């Protein structure tokens, strides 16, 4: 039996470096780990700038922090959109593979039904022949 690649393996092999990187970034940014780490960084940033004794690099209302968030959002949005577009491509590829598998299964089932019908007809013919012989003898 020949082992062929799945639709997912074929799709993964077709991705370029930028596409794989965008998927990893989108997966990372869409995780609880990212949210928790970012929350900790923001809390530390704000705390150090509110209670810092010697050096406060971003005083309230934290304009530099807002600038960093804006920059992050400016890059995150298109990267996430690229990952979502590829997810749509993956969904289409999976649906196409499922459709092909269903068509092949349908053809196999139809062939089996034809064979079963043929066997049933052969059995009925044999039964009729036996009954005819019995009628002639009787």
């Amino acid at each position: 039996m020949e082992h062929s690649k799945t639709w997912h393996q074929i799709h993964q092999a077709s991705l370029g470096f930028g596409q794989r990187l965008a998927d990893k970034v989108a997966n990372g940014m869409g995780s609880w780990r990212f949210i928790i780490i970012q929350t900790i960084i923001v809390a530390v940033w704000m705390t150090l700038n509110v209670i810092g004794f010697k050096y406060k690099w971003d005083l309230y209302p934290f304009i530099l922090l807002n600038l960093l968030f804006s920059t992050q959002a400016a890059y995150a949005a298109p990267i996430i959109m690229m990952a979502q577009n590829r997810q749509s491509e993956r969904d289409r590829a999976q649906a196409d593979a499922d459709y092909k598998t269903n068509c092949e299964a349908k053809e196999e089932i139809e062939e089996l039904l034809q064979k079963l019908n043929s066997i049933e007809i052969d059995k009925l013919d044999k039964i009729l022949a036996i009954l005819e012989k019995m009628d002639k003898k009787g």
Side-chain angles (χ1 to χ4, degrees):
M1 190 164 143
E2 183 181 318
H3 176 71
S4 60
K5 290 185 175 183
T6 64
W7 66 269
H8 189 264
Q9 291 168 329
I10 293 168
H11 180 76
Q12 286 295 105
S14 72
L15 294 179
F17 172 75
Q19 292 171 322
R20 285 193 303 272
L21 179 62
D23 284 344
K24 287 181 183 176
V25 169
N27 285 337
M29 292 184 86
S31 68
W32 278 108
R33 181 177 184 221
F34 176 81
I35 292 171
I36 291 168
I37 290 171
Q38 182 165 319
T39 302
I40 291 169
I41 289 171
V42 168
V44 168
W45 180 291
M46 293 171 100
T47 302
L48 289 176
N49 280 288
V50 168
I51 64 169
F53 295 110
K54 232 179 185 186
Y55 183 67
K56 297 179 183 185
W57 66 90
D58 189 21
L59 300 174
Y60 180 83
F62 310 114
I63 294 171
L64 182 58
L65 182 62
N66 285 319
L67 177 64
L68 291 173
F69 279 142
S70 296
T71 304
Q72 178 187 27
Y75 282 99
I79 288 172
I80 291 169
M81 289 298 293
M82 286 187 286
Q84 287 177 338
N85 289 341
R86 261 187 313 290
Q87 181 61 46
S88 295
E89 291 171 15
R90 284 190 291 269
D91 291 344
R92 277 191 294 279
Q94 183 177 12
D96 186 46
D98 288 346
Y99 176 75
K100 288 177 184 175
T101 300
N102 290 341
C103 287
E104 290 170 4
K106 180 184 174 200
E107 287 175 10
E108 288 179 15
I109 290 169
E110 287 173 352
E111 287 174 16
L112 286 172
L113 282 173
Q114 287 174 353
K115 287 179 183 177
L116 285 173
N117 286 337
S118 172
I119 291 170
E120 189 174 322
I121 290 171
D122 287 345
K123 283 183 179 180
L124 287 174
D125 287 344
K126 288 178 183 176
I127 291 171
L128 287 174
I130 292 170
L131 288 174
E132 284 177 6
K133 282 182 186 179
M134 291 174 68
D135 258 355
K136 288 180 183 177
K137 288 182 181 179

